[in-house]
């Protein structure tokens, strides 16, 4: 029996956290994602599964609580929106350096600064290029539906624990706030402390008699050892790049023009594509699902087929840099974006495609 | 070169009055000779051994001189970002309520950059132990002014003495924390004399035992020297501590069993 529910993206994320058997959520309210903690507190997951939910004193507190729980081998997650994610960057860098698994949701709003509470995709650089200090990478998943807000929680934890690496879901105010039908998965049990001990030999769970103590740290003062640690991280990122690229292509088989967009922009582009096709324009859509690792190979492949690419983002042009790398600048690659919380209509996008790519 | 000295074997069981606790590793301490960090490490390790909880403890190290504390304690430990130890400890205790969780923090870590995490963990009444080393200076970074630096005290960033008009007042964070409903035991100790070491150990023991009660934060401040940072010899530093630190940071319990201790005078 399928279990279907009409939910907001933020609520779907929260329900998924309970259902995948997460152990702890820590967060601090900020629009447009406050529903995540509100939903959790109302659902009492501490009664449903034993999951901890705690409202922290700040995002700095929240991300460091995630660090503490993750270092214990627990499935820990947090959510916030742009200004809060900026405040978390110190902790995210430590989590990446200490190689801890966790899930972070950014329901992006327009910036810079306090910006606006309206949707945006202007945190692409921060999420994919490393917003904190040091050479590190997050695995970045971009949901474009409420269903994916639900499904990527399970996928996110799977990847986080597979690679011992923080995973970020880069969503936005559109996906977080809109309501759609969601197919819910079954409740998974939380891992027992004994299972954690067996599965995660790195987790600090109390030193076992006769066994070595476990230390979670990102500190290594000896530069030769710190370099080795960095090389190990880089090796891990290469493995992630080789194995974890995810994307979706729509009507690309015969496409002469290509739209590239992620998250909510991809939803708008889908409609723009339909409008274009109705006018006889052979346009396809590439939707990167993992923003890191970025699907360079498919961009390269499609660049050999299409005449031009329009990258559509709710920002001033961020992902376009990766699209240009993928296309090796062999064809025309242009950007169309609205920002500061403005959202383009499908007609606007099609117009931009016709003017910037097809027109000249 | 080996030489045969005629030394009688004195390490016999009846002569053995003291040995290193097994909860400390054999790694050589990097602390300056005479520094209170090393002594306090030993006391914590002894308490863990005596309570028989080595396999039940998870510790959190700070950023500061004791950043490498995990090299010395033979227990599971996590390294926190500067000031964030109480946030880590909050989460550890909440996902493992049956474990003993403690943070070990300096004054810069606990009372400047981490004041928010400290205050809120204490106010929420997290069932953890916090050990707070107050040496009135930033030892690790080379002796800059700390939140607890005394008025008039010389540091590398208050080279003419701490001018409270310009630089603000020292923060008596322990007094502040004692007022919060979430703290259960708050005490100020020192470790520069043998008698005080014995007293501090009792306090640390109590701070760990309290976790069995689930009644909130147990907080032990250790007023410590920093002979390198203070630019004094270890003995001069201890004397300076007696004469300057203790009048400003008087020793004793501030809160016991959740009740503020009334001053006798
Ligand atoms: C975010 C951040 N800011 C500054 C530093 C530099 N720093 C390292 S230790 C320290 C002060 C430590 O002083 P304290 O907590 O009093 O401990 P002590 O070294 O005296 O034991 C500072 C400022 C840092 N590591 N991280």
């Amino acid at each position: 029996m399928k279990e279907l529910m009409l939910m907001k993206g933020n609520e779907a994320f929260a329900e998924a956290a309970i259902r995948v058997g997460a152990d702890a959520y820590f967060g601090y309210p900020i629009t447009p994602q406050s529903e995540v903690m509100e939903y959790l507190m109302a659902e009492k997951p501490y009664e449903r599964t034993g999951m901890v939910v705690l409202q922290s004193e700040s995002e700095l507190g929240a991300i460091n609580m995630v660090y503490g729980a993750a270092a214990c081998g627990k499935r820990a997650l947090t959510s916030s929106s742009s200004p809060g994610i900026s405040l978390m960057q110190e902790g995210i860098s430590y989590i990446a350096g200490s190689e801890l698994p966790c899930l972070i949701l950014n329901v992006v709003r327009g910036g810079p600064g306090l910006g606006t509470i309206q949707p945006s995709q202007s945190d692409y650089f921060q999420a994919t290029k490393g917003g904190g200090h040091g050479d590190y990478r997050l695995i970045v998943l971009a949901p474009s539906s409420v269903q994916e807000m639900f499904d990527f929680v399970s996928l996110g934890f799977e990847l986080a624990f597979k690679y011992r690496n923080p995973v970020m879901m880069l969503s936005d105010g559109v996906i977080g706030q809109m309501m759609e039908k969601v197919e819910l998965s079954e409740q998974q049990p939380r891992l027992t402390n004994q299972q954690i001990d067996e599965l995660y030999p790195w987790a600090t769970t109390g030193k076992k008699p006769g066994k070595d103590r476990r230390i979670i740290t990102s500190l290594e003062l000896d530069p030769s050892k710190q370099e080795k640690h960095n090389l190990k991280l880089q090796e891990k990122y290469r493995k992630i790049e080789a194995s974890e690229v995810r994307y979706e292509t729509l009507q690309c088989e015969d496409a002469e023009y290509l739209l590239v967009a992620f998250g909510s922009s991809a939803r708008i582009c889908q409609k723009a594509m339909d409008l274009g096709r109705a006018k006889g324009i052979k346009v396809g859509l590439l939707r990167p699902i993992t923003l890191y690792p970025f699907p360079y190979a498919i961009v390269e492949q499609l660049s050999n087929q299409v005449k031009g690419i329009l990258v559509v983002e709710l920002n001033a042009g961020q992902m376009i840099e990766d699209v240009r790398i993928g296309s090796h600048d062999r064809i025309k690659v242009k950007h169309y974006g609205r920002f500061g919380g403005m959202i383009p209509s499908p007609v606007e996008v099609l117009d931009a495609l016709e003017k910037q790519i097809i027109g000249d | 070169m080996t030489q045969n000295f005629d030394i009688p074997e004195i390490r016999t069981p009846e002569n053995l009055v003291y040995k290193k606790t097994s909860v400390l590793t054999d790694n050589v301490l990097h602390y300056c000779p005479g520094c209170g960090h090393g002594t306090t490490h030993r006391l914590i390790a002894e308490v863990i051994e005596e309570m028989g909880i080595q396999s039940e403890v998870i510790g959190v190290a700070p950023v500061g001189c004791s950043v490498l504390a995990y090299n010395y304690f033979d227990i599971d430990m996590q390294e926190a970002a500067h000031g964030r130890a109480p946030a880590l400890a909050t989460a550890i205790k909440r996902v493992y309520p049956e474990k003993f969780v403690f943070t070990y923090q300096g004054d810069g870590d606990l009372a400047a950059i981490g004041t928010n995490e400290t205050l809120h963990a204490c106010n929420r009444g997290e069932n953890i132990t916090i050990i707070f080393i107050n040496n009135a200076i930033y030892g690790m970074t080379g002796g800059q002014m700390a939140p607890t630096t005394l008025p008039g005290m010389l540091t590398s960033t208050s080279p003419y003495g701490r001018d409270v008009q310009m630089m603000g007042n020292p923060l008596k964070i322990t007094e502040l924390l004692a007022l919060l409903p979430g703290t259960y035991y708050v005490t100020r100790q020192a470790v520069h004399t043998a008698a005080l070491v014995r007293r501090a150990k009792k306090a640390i023991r109590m701070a760990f035992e309290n976790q069995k009660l689930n009644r909130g934060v147990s907080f032990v401040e250790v007023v410590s020297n920093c002979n390198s940072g203070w630019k004094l010899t270890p003995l001069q530093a201890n004397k300076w501590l007696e004469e300057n630190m203790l009048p400003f940071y008087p020793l004793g319990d501030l809160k016991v069993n959740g009740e503020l201790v009334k001053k006798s005078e």
Side-chain angles (χ1 to χ4, degrees), chain A residues 2 5 29 32 37 41 46 52 77 85 99 170 197 212 218 221 228 239 243 246 253 255 269 286 295 324 333 348:
Chain A
K2 276 190 193 169
M5 234 164 120
M37 192 167 23
M41 287 297 188
Y46 39 91
V52 170
L77 73 164
I85 297 288
E99 293 196 85
L170 192 72
D197 268 334
D212 285 344
S218 54
L221 292 168
K228 217 173 265 171
K239 210 176 284 172
S243 336
R246 286 166 172 78
E253 298 75 19
C269 284
L286 167 64
R324 285 182 59 188
V333 179
E348 238 179 293

Side-chain angles (χ1 to χ4, degrees), chain B residues 154-195:
Chain B
L154 304 178
T155 72
S156 67
T157 52
S158 58
Y160 308 106
R162 181 178 192 147
D163 174 352
V164 295
Q165 290 303 319
M166 178 186 156
M167 301 164 180
N169 298 291
L171 178 58
K172 293 192 177 181
I173 192 150
T174 305
E175 276 78 353
L176 186 70
L177 297 175
L179 298 176
L180 302 176
T183 50
Y184 184 67
Y185 175 50
V186 180
T187 186
R188 182 180 283 124
Q189 303 287 329
V191 293
H192 61 284
T193 72

Side-chain angles (χ1 to χ4, degrees), chain A residues 306-326:
Chain A
V306 301
K307 296 177 187 157
I309 298 177
L310 186 70
V311 183
V312 180
E313 306 174 74
L314 302 183
N315 61 40
Q318 300 193 15
M319 183 175 69
I320 187 176
E321 294 191 2
D322 285 317
V323 176
R324 285 182 59 188
I325 290 172

Side-chain angles (χ1 to χ4, degrees), chain A residues 60-303:
Chain A
L60 213 44
I63 194 67
N64 283 285
M65 290 173 189
V66 166
Y67 179 118
C72 291
K74 299 282 181 174
R75 278 166 169 66
L77 73 164
T78 185
S79 62
S80 187
S81 180
S82 310
I85 297 288
S86 289
L87 197 53
M88 286 185 189
Q89 291 304 324
E90 176 196 53
I92 293 174
S93 168
Y94 275 71
I95 288 170
S98 307
E99 293 196 85
L100 296 174
C102 72
L103 183 62
I104 303 154
L105 169 66
N106 184 359
V107 184
V108 181
R109 56 190 253 182
L114 200 47
T116 167
I117 59 171
Q118 300 300 327
S120 176
Q121 296 182 318
S122 47
D123 297 353
Y124 179 92
F125 282 153
Q126 186 197 52
T128 60
K129 311 297 175 189
H133 60 285
D135 267 319
Y136 74 89
R137 295 288 190 159
L138 307 176
I139 297 171
V140 184
L141 302 172
S144 77
S145 64
V146 176
Q147 184 69 54
E148 285 186 341
M149 284 288 274
F150 185 92
D151 294 342
F152 287 0
V153 174
S154 163
L155 173 65
F157 274 123
E158 186 190 311
L159 294 172
F161 276 82
K162 182 172 173 188
Y163 293 102
R164 279 185 65 182
N165 205 71
V167 172
M168 176 172 281
M169 282 171 61
L170 192 72
S171 182
D172 64 55
V174 177
I175 307 293
Q177 292 294 328
M178 73 183 183
M179 293 186 92
E180 284 185 313
K181 188 178 67 179
V182 188
E183 188 183 331
L184 304 176
S185 59
E186 275 174 31
Q187 178 65 54
Q188 301 295 313
R190 288 174 48 241
L191 294 182
T192 63
N193 290 350
Q194 196 189 332
Q195 284 173 312
I196 287 173
D197 268 334
E198 284 160 9
L199 284 168
Y200 311 128
W202 46 265
T204 52
T205 58
K207 176 185 161 5
K208 305 292 165 297
K211 296 272 169 64
D212 285 344
R213 70 189 189 284
R214 295 168 183 177
I215 296 164
I216 299 293
T217 182
S218 54
L219 176 72
E220 180 47 70
L221 292 168
D222 177 342
S224 68
K225 287 188 187 154
Q226 185 58 263
E227 183 181 52
K228 217 173 265 171
H229 173 59
N230 266 271
L231 287 170
K232 183 176 152 229
L233 290 179
Q234 290 303 317
E235 200 179 306
K236 173 166 83 175
Y237 303 146
R238 297 298 89 77
K239 210 176 284 172
I240 292 169
E241 287 162 6
S243 336
E244 303 301 344
V245 171
R246 286 166 172 78
Y247 60 85
E248 182 184 35
T249 51
L250 289 174
Q251 307 204 36
C252 285
E253 298 75 19
D254 64 343
E256 291 176 2
Y257 301 100
L258 183 67
L259 295 168
V260 184
F262 69 95
S264 58
S265 296
R267 296 290 290 268
I268 299 164
C269 284
Q270 208 172 319
K271 186 75 187 162
M273 179 181 70
D274 293 343
L275 293 175
R277 288 267 169 183
K279 272 175 111 178
I281 303 169
K282 288 188 172 168
V283 53
L285 170 64
L286 167 64
R287 175 171 78 94
I289 293 173
T290 50
L291 301 181
Y292 179 84
F294 188 79
Y296 292 112
I298 184 71
V299 173
E300 179 172 10
Q301 189 190 316
L302 290 169
S303 298

